[in-house]
Amino acid sequence: MDDLEFSIDDELFRVSQRRQPTGMMSYDYAWLNGPDHGNYGFTVGFSVAWSDPRAQRTPEQLMDEARGFIEGFYEPGGIGEEDFPDHIPARTRRTGDQ
């Protein structure tokens, strides 16, 4: 899979597929306009082999993972509020609403 770039609620992500040393599949999400100057992201790994069809994700499934992540990140008591209190959602930065 080539890297996939997309936007959800003005948050920009790049997803790349990686084979772990154990042969298992993982997807690395780089949050391009996220906290820590775009150096923040997350990984979704699977306990099935790279070649197993259950490890393959469609672009829609990859986007759903990112959507769930940012919802949890910005919810009250979420990672954003706790670990990155100065980070402002991209949509807010774009519109100036706070």
Side-chain angles (χ1 to χ4, degrees), residues 2-61:
D2 291 333
D3 287 357
L4 174 66
E5 291 191 10
F6 56 88
S7 172
I8 295 178
D9 294 332
D10 297 327
E11 305 295 347
L12 306 175
F13 290 91
R14 178 184 307 119
V15 181
S16 56
Q17 191 177 52
R18 175 173 51 94
R19 184 186 313 204
Q20 300 173 24
T22 61
M24 303 301 139
M25 171 75 81
S26 64
Y27 293 92
D28 297 315
Y29 288 73
W31 190 358
L32 303 176
N33 61 344
D36 195 24
H37 308 289
N39 293 316
Y40 192 75
F42 64 100
T43 297
V44 176
F46 296 92
S47 59
V48 294
W50 173 271
S51 59
D52 190 315
R54 293 174 296 168
Q56 305 299 318
R57 292 293 180 256
T58 65
E60 293 78 19
Q61 290 170 314

